[in-house]
Amino acid sequence: MFAAKPLSAFKSEVSGLVFRLPSPATGHGRRSRAVVGRPSKVSGGGGWVRAAVSGGDNKTVEAEKPVDGKDLNGSLPSSSSSSSSSSSSSSSSGKLDVRAVISIRKKIRQKLVDKIEDSLESFMNGIGQGIMLQLVSEEVDPVTQSGKTIESSVRGWLPNPSLHSYVAEYAADLRVPQDFGCPGAVLITNLHGKEFHLLEIVIHGFSEGPIHFPANTWIHARKDNPESRIIFRNQAYLPSQTPVGLRDLRREDLLSIRGNGKGERKPHERIYDYALYNDLGNPDKDDDLARPVLGGEERPYPRRCRTGRPPMQTDPLCESRIEKPHPVYVPRDETFEEIKQNTFAAGRLKALLHNLVPQIAATLSSSDIPFKCFSEIDKLYIDGLLLKDEEQNEAKGNLALANLMKEVLTVGERLLKYEIPAVISRDRFAWLRDNEFARQALAGVNPVSIQILKEFPILSQLDPAVYGPPDSALTKDLIGQELHGMTVEQAIEENRLFIIDYHDMLLPFVDKINSLSDRKTYASRTILFYNPAGILKPIAIELSLPPTRFKPCNKRVYTQGHDATAHWLWKQAKAHVCANDAGIHQLVNHWLRTHASMESYIIATHRQLSSMHPIYKLLHPHMRYTLEINALARQSLINGGGIIEACFSPGKYAMELSSAAYKSVWQFDMEALPADLIRRGMAVEDPSAPHGLRLILEDYPYANDGLLIWSAIQEWVESYVNHFYSDPGSVVSDVELQAWWDEIKNKGHYDKRNEPWWPKLDTKEDLCTILAIMIWTASGQHAAINFGQYPFGGYVPNRPTLMRRFIPQEDEPEYEKFLLNPQHTFLTSLPTQLQATKVMAVQDTLSTHSPDEEYLGQVNQLHGHWISDDRVLELFERFSHKLEDIEKIIDTRNKDKRLKNRTGAGVPPYELLLPSSGPGVTGRGIPNSISI
């Protein structure tokens, strides 16, 4: 039984407004939404009371207000002049007074209109016409068979300054029966004309201390939705443990945010539902922007968050688009907070600055231009981008261009410069070397494609009737020439041969891609050799085109060679491999395996797990901002005609390629880091080794550091799950948990619902594995393949995102030009200046940490009361300390001279899996969630 303590005993606990009396409260009974929406009526005789609020200047603002049963000074009538403070706060009916403190987040950067609106809202709150609260007990009223309730309104005149200037605090006073029990929920109704952001409600006055109701949610206005919002206290309950007084509310809260597949979603709503990827194309605007729907038997894909917009006029299967700057719907609490919005806006502005001048130059010169020499690339970091005088004079006559220039040009004629990417910051020529090419396969932005070569010959799994003979052109003789006396069989037996194989994934798309303007690609295989000196190097590259009538085996192999011509051809072949790697990285390993897959987990979590469920509380930090960044990506990155199509090799077939990869290679259980390493042959199980795995290549920075993070996550998850699921059958009997996992498989990943590899969810061990995969995907895995995008891709020759020319052959006219000027051939094969600057700007934005980033093992100070369980907090603190220790281990590794993939002349340290980071492009830091 929770007991209440006198008001005078807890005034010092309240950091918000201090009133001289509590406002009246109603009795308890069955909750009625209609009643909650109205201010409480006061019966009995009338009187006046003066409410006092402390201001920031130590002055007191006073106002008179009629309150029944109180004297002029706001004192409760005492039963005798010698009554104690305890008795003075209790009425003759045995009720006690408690106070609810409501924390509301205001805009950090306020305009005049925002200040005026805040003043009006404060006034409405002051007269009790702004916010209504209903406190709900965990105990049942025997009359109504529902949780006991007490209702009151927020009353106050001015918000008291809090620790944060953008947080306003208000108070509501409630008179609670002594047998009320523990408060378990608060129903809040917003009577204002617009929404507000509720951070937390704290109830003061119960003997056990303050009771926290963490919210961090937008409260809709009653005019938009008459339903009250339900906020539960920070106590985690399995469904079977839900206090009787909260059972109906728990069920009702879940139902309120589940969509039914109907209706267009409105900005204020919090509705989570599923939809196909049918919003990428825009045939209403241009026939060339038509894109197929992703999701279904032909083009399977994970589901996205449903918006319910009307269909296209030209294609009823596609949803109409909303173009920038108008926002795409996501459930209200999924949108960026103000600090994140400002950071992202700054990134968009930077992209605007970098993109507009090339666009203006392209407009004035009527063509996009390639880089003519390497110094033109260097100028992006040294001088920035400039317009020629004659182009500026011509632009001045064009009003539209002149206005753009005013927005773009900063100091004089010069634009903002690009930062020098990490890959060339220490060594300008590192990208040319073969060992750096191989090092980036282990410690670059896409270290998840390399696999061991297990058998020979190398065979394709594609239909030979369509794609020709399955045998690779990489024969034993060709490979053997590069092994310095070792045989292919010996190299395979000693685990010295590795492969990056994009042949089967890309070959079905090669003809389509090559039909696009200024786009040329091959399907590639790259063989790497780990030589006896302990150095991994590429030794052979196979580039393939689909067979033709004249060339049934359209494959060519390149090796480093020993003359100038062979060296330049080898550089071109490596550039084609890098372009393939960039496309697979962006569309498969980055977008599909983290962003798109995580979205369906998030939707199911909100639809099936109550906010008081312990697994919801565990996953909640790992869902922040993901739906919003994915919606923005569908709007301007992966959409028809978007940045990815314009600047990456697959062009308009980019998302079809991503769908094909989902169909052929995506598998939930293989998203666990240990399982992925074993599948690729980069590790073997070894109970005596750390983490139970032995790496085939000891100096594999992504795997070494990743296993530290994976193990820490696994340990944290196991301790958390064991704490809540003590009964052996508690996982199977958890109805919300089972519905959650069922929905992930059968709705979120509907096209893969019948696959036999889905893990069962019968035991605690099953649950721990599933949760570890999700948390790793959202945190460590995404960090490892996202925040290195600009550090590695910001220098175009190191990682071109497309190639515009085939490699010249001896029987072609271009071959003579290549021999005369191989540098020109190489540079004109790379992305144009416009394509390059677009990609660099986007990669810069996507590699940037926001100042409000929440990192793995950290809790935002405003969300510190996320759970009331001391044991859980102790386990989380242990997890945080573990990550601090991991950071020290990684720092030590990056100073170990024996680890050549981390140290050496000009070699940047591997920091992508360092847990902490500051804001900006740091090349380190593991956010809790996919937030960019």
Side-chain angles (χ1 to χ4, degrees):
M1 173 77 68
F2 266 59
K5 61 182 178 181
L7 186 63
S8 59
F10 66 83
K11 279 185 178 179
S12 62
E13 297 175 355
V14 184
S15 60
L17 304 181
V18 177
F19 294 88
R20 292 186 181 171
L21 85 159
S23 40
T26 65
H28 58 272
R30 180 175 293 276
R31 178 175 56 85
S32 167
R33 289 294 174 90
V35 173
V36 173
R38 296 196 300 266
S40 304
K41 294 182 179 179
V42 182
S43 58
W48 288 87
V49 66
R50 183 174 289 110
V53 180
S54 298
D57 56 358
N58 296 323
K59 295 181 180 179
T60 300
V61 179
E62 298 190 61
E64 292 188 333
K65 195 168 174 50
V67 179
D68 300 80
K70 311 294 188 296
D71 62 22
L72 185 63
N73 294 319
S75 302
L76 291 165
S78 50
S79 56
S80 68
S81 59
S82 61
S83 297
S84 66
S85 61
S86 178
S87 61
S88 66
S89 67
S90 302
S91 68
S92 57
S93 62
K95 294 184 178 181
L96 300 169
D97 299 288
V98 297
R99 171 163 295 155
V101 176
I102 299 95
S103 298
I104 295 174
R105 191 184 68 205
K106 302 292 186 180
K107 284 187 178 180
I108 299 173
R109 297 180 181 179
Q110 288 196 327
K111 299 178 181 178
L112 179 60
V113 65
D114 298 319
K115 294 179 180 179
I116 294 173
E117 289 178 352
D118 282 354
S119 297
L120 179 60
E121 288 178 13
S122 295
F123 174 76
M124 296 303 293
N125 289 339
I127 62 175
Q129 297 295 315
I131 303 172
M132 293 294 301
L133 298 180
Q134 195 173 48
L135 193 61
V136 183
S137 173
E138 293 183 347
E139 297 187 8
V140 173
D141 186 311
V143 177
T144 64
Q145 296 301 305
S146 297
K148 301 174 183 178
T149 61
I150 293 293
E151 184 180 320
S152 183
S153 61
V154 168
R155 295 182 184 274
W157 296 109
L158 288 174
N160 196 51
S162 70
L163 296 176
H164 303 277
S165 60
Y166 52 89
V167 177
E169 293 178 334
Y170 299 90
D173 295 309
L174 304 100
R175 179 159 291 178
V176 179
Q178 291 184 353
D179 63 349
F180 185 76
C182 175
V186 174
L187 275 63
I188 184 165
T189 306
N190 175 12
L191 306 180
H192 295 292
K194 67 171 189 174
E195 64 184 1
F196 63 82
H197 192 275
L198 177 68
L199 285 174
E200 185 181 43
I201 300 172
V202 184
I203 307 297
H204 297 265
F206 287 90
S207 58
E208 284 75 2
I211 302 172
H212 294 269
F213 294 76
N216 194 35
T217 183
W218 288 94
I219 306 297
H220 60 261
R222 187 174 61 169
K223 69 178 181 60
D224 292 326
N225 181 356
E227 300 289 301
S228 303
R229 282 293 309 281
I230 304 169
I231 310 296
F232 294 106
R233 79 181 181 101
N234 62 342
Q235 177 66 44
Y237 291 113
L238 296 176
S240 61
Q241 300 167 341
T242 310
V244 179
L246 302 180
R247 288 177 184 171
D248 289 344
L249 287 182
R250 182 171 186 149
R251 182 168 53 253
E252 187 175 339
D253 188 48
L254 275 175
L255 290 173
S256 71
I257 60 176
R258 263 183 222 159
N260 59 5
K262 299 178 181 179
E264 182 174 358
R265 300 275 64 90
K266 299 174 183 177
H268 69 271
E269 293 179 331
R270 296 168 58 250
I271 304 298
Y272 295 82
D273 208 348
Y274 300 96
L276 303 170
Y277 273 69
N278 63 349
D279 63 340
L280 300 179
N282 194 356
D284 283 358
K285 181 178 180 181
D286 189 329
D287 289 343
D288 195 49
L289 293 178
R291 297 294 180 270
V293 173
L294 301 187
E297 185 175 350
E298 184 178 357
R299 296 183 182 89
Y301 217 62
R303 298 307 189 253
R304 65 170 176 92
C305 187
R306 182 182 178 276
T307 60
R309 296 192 301 271
M312 291 271 183
Q313 294 179 359
T314 54
D315 186 351
L317 296 179
C318 291
E319 189 174 79
S320 57
R321 284 187 56 80
I322 292 181
E323 304 294 351
K324 295 186 301 183
H326 304 291
V328 175
Y329 167 83
V330 293
R332 186 64 183 95
D333 290 341
E334 305 296 333
T335 56
F336 290 165
E337 296 175 21
E338 185 180 356
I339 294 175
K340 178 70 171 181
Q341 285 177 340
N342 293 338
T343 302
F344 199 75
R348 285 205 303 269
L349 177 61
K350 192 170 185 179
L352 176 77
L353 293 174
H354 290 315
N355 288 340
L356 272 181
V357 164
Q359 288 175 351
I360 293 170
T363 300
L364 296 175
S365 64
S366 301
S367 65
D368 190 12
I369 53 178
F371 293 106
K372 297 182 182 66
C373 58
F374 285 99
S375 61
E376 287 187 345
I377 301 175
D378 294 339
K379 284 182 179 179
L380 296 174
Y381 319 109
I382 300 170
D383 297 328
L385 298 172
L386 295 171
L387 279 177
K388 298 177 183 177
D389 292 338
E390 59 270 21
E391 289 172 343
Q392 293 183 40
N393 293 332
E394 187 174 346
K396 290 175 183 177
N398 184 318
L399 182 60
L401 290 180
N403 289 334
L404 287 176
M405 289 173 61
K406 289 179 182 178
E407 295 293 328
V408 172
L409 297 177
T410 53
V411 180
E413 302 172 345
R414 185 163 295 161
L415 295 179
L416 292 175
K417 294 186 296 184
Y418 284 99
E419 297 294 327
I420 297 176
V423 71
I424 59 165
S425 62
R426 300 185 181 198
D427 183 351
R428 269 311 158 90
F429 305 103
W431 67 277
L432 284 166
R433 292 194 292 271
D434 286 347
N435 62 336
E436 176 62 18
F437 176 95
R439 190 189 75 85
Q440 290 183 31
L442 301 171
V445 70
N446 188 36
V448 296
S449 288
I450 187 172
Q451 54 189 319
I452 199 163
L453 184 60
K454 298 178 181 178
E455 55 188 26
F456 222 85
I458 302 169
L459 298 175
S460 170
Q461 301 301 311
L462 298 174
D463 183 356
V466 178
Y467 299 104
D471 301 80
S472 168
L474 292 161
T475 63
K476 281 187 179 181
D477 289 341
L478 281 170
I479 300 298
Q481 293 174 18
E482 306 296 325
L483 300 183
H484 306 288
M486 189 177 291
T487 66
V488 170
E489 290 82 2
Q490 184 182 358
I492 289 177
E493 184 178 351
E494 295 182 11
N495 294 324
R496 292 187 178 275
L497 285 178
F498 298 84
I499 186 170
I500 300 173
D501 191 349
Y502 296 140
H503 178 275
D504 285 9
M505 191 176 293
L506 288 176
L507 193 61
F509 292 91
V510 165
D511 277 346
K512 295 179 181 179
I513 294 170
N514 290 338
S515 69
L516 301 174
S517 175
D518 248 10
R519 203 74 54 105
K520 294 294 179 276
T521 193
Y522 303 91
S524 63
R525 290 188 178 107
T526 306
I527 304 296
L528 303 98
F529 176 53
Y530 185 66
N531 64 29
I535 303 297
L536 184 69
K537 297 182 71 173
I539 59 171
I541 293 172
E542 178 192 58
L543 299 179
S544 302
L545 296 171
T548 66
R549 187 175 64 175
F550 304 104
K551 288 187 178 181
C553 186
N554 205 351
K555 303 171 184 178
R556 188 175 293 269
V557 174
Y558 296 87
T559 59
Q560 186 176 21
H562 303 286
D563 60 83
T565 301
H567 277 300
W568 271 107
L569 290 172
W570 175 244
K571 289 180 177 62
Q572 294 244 103
K574 285 197 300 180
H576 274 279
V577 171
C578 287
N580 286 348
D581 192 72
I584 298 298
H585 162 258
Q586 197 66 263
L587 296 165
V588 180
N589 296 330
H590 182 206
W591 174 260
L592 168 64
R593 293 178 61 188
T594 63
H595 284 260
S597 296
M598 199 70 201
E599 180 155 356
S600 60
Y601 311 152
I602 293 170
I603 297 169
T605 300
H606 284 285
R607 285 168 53 91
Q608 298 297 341
L609 297 183
S610 166
S611 60
M612 65 170 68
H613 197 290
I615 301 306
Y616 178 95
K617 291 185 178 294
L618 174 70
L619 289 177
H620 187 261
H622 307 290
M623 304 188 292
R624 185 177 187 236
Y625 291 157
T626 303
L627 296 191
E628 171 82 342
I629 195 64
N630 284 5
L632 289 167
R634 295 198 312 274
Q635 189 176 41
S636 59
L637 285 179
I638 63 172
N639 61 302
I643 298 292
I644 300 300
E645 287 194 0
C647 302
F648 283 77
S649 186
K652 65 187 293 184
Y653 304 104
M655 290 304 290
E656 289 185 62
L657 172 62
S658 188
S659 169
Y662 177 69
K663 184 176 185 177
S664 62
V665 301
W666 188 87
Q667 190 171 321
F668 178 85
D669 57 333
M670 291 294 107
E671 295 304 297
L673 177 59
D676 175 61
L677 292 171
I678 292 171
R679 173 175 64 173
R680 291 190 283 120
M682 300 302 291
V684 294
E685 293 186 71
D686 183 351
S688 65
H691 320 295
L693 291 181
R694 177 174 57 82
L695 294 178
I696 298 300
L697 288 177
E698 293 183 9
D699 189 8
Y700 186 0
Y702 160 77
N704 276 300
D705 294 357
L707 285 170
L708 292 175
I709 302 297
W710 168 268
S711 297
I713 291 171
Q714 191 174 45
E715 182 182 325
W716 154 237
V717 167
E718 287 175 354
S719 63
Y720 186 94
V721 168
N722 286 329
H723 176 68
F724 286 101
Y725 291 91
S726 54
D727 179 28
S730 53
V731 169
V732 173
S733 62
D734 187 333
V735 292
E736 287 183 6
L737 191 70
Q738 293 298 325
W740 167 77
W741 184 234
D742 181 76
E743 185 161 296
I744 286 172
K745 294 182 294 182
N746 294 308
K747 288 191 176 181
H749 288 271
Y750 178 83
D751 303 323
K752 292 256 185 178
R753 65 193 182 283
N754 296 321
E755 296 288 352
W757 41 253
W758 283 106
K760 294 181 179 180
L761 184 51
D762 296 335
T763 66
K764 291 187 290 185
E765 291 73 23
D766 296 338
L767 178 58
C768 289
T769 299
I770 290 167
L771 294 172
I773 288 173
M774 292 180 180
I775 294 174
W776 162 253
T777 298
S779 58
Q781 181 64 34
H782 180 258
I785 59 178
N786 180 74
F787 293 104
Q789 289 193 73
Y790 186 78
F792 287 99
Y795 187 67
V796 179
N798 180 67
R799 193 170 176 78
T801 55
L802 61 82
M803 295 295 282
R804 301 165 59 237
R805 302 284 183 270
F806 285 131
I807 299 176
Q809 305 301 317
E810 292 184 20
D811 57 348
E812 297 173 349
E814 292 297 317
Y815 193 76
E816 286 300 320
K817 296 180 182 178
F818 159 68
L819 293 177
L820 291 172
N821 193 342
Q823 176 180 292
H824 180 267
T825 299
F826 180 82
L827 287 172
T828 55
S829 298
L830 299 179
T832 64
Q833 293 191 29
L834 176 58
Q835 290 169 329
T837 52
K838 273 187 178 182
V839 169
M840 290 166 67
V842 171
Q843 289 177 332
D844 181 77
T845 300
L846 297 182
S847 302
T848 299
H849 289 295
S850 172
D852 74 335
E853 198 81 89
E854 296 178 3
Y855 296 96
L856 194 64
Q858 298 178 5
V859 176
N860 188 309
Q861 57 181 326
L862 293 176
H863 312 151
H865 300 290
W866 65 283
I867 198 167
S868 62
D869 193 313
D870 289 339
R871 176 57 179 161
V872 170
L873 296 175
E874 178 186 323
L875 294 172
F876 183 78
E877 186 176 6
R878 187 186 347 179
F879 175 52
S880 299
H881 289 321
K882 181 80 171 179
L883 291 170
E884 292 173 1
D885 293 340
I886 288 173
E887 194 152 310
K888 295 174 184 176
I889 293 171
I890 294 175
D891 284 335
T892 300
R893 287 175 174 175
N894 283 331
K895 297 173 184 175
D896 189 339
K897 295 180 179 179
R898 297 170 299 174
L899 302 176
K900 303 303 182 183
N901 291 322
R902 297 175 181 269
T903 61
V907 176
Y910 186 73
E911 297 181 327
L912 288 170
L913 285 168
L914 280 171
S916 68
S917 176
V921 181
T922 63
R924 59 176 288 167
I926 304 176
N928 273 320
S929 61
I930 299 170
S931 58
I932 190 65

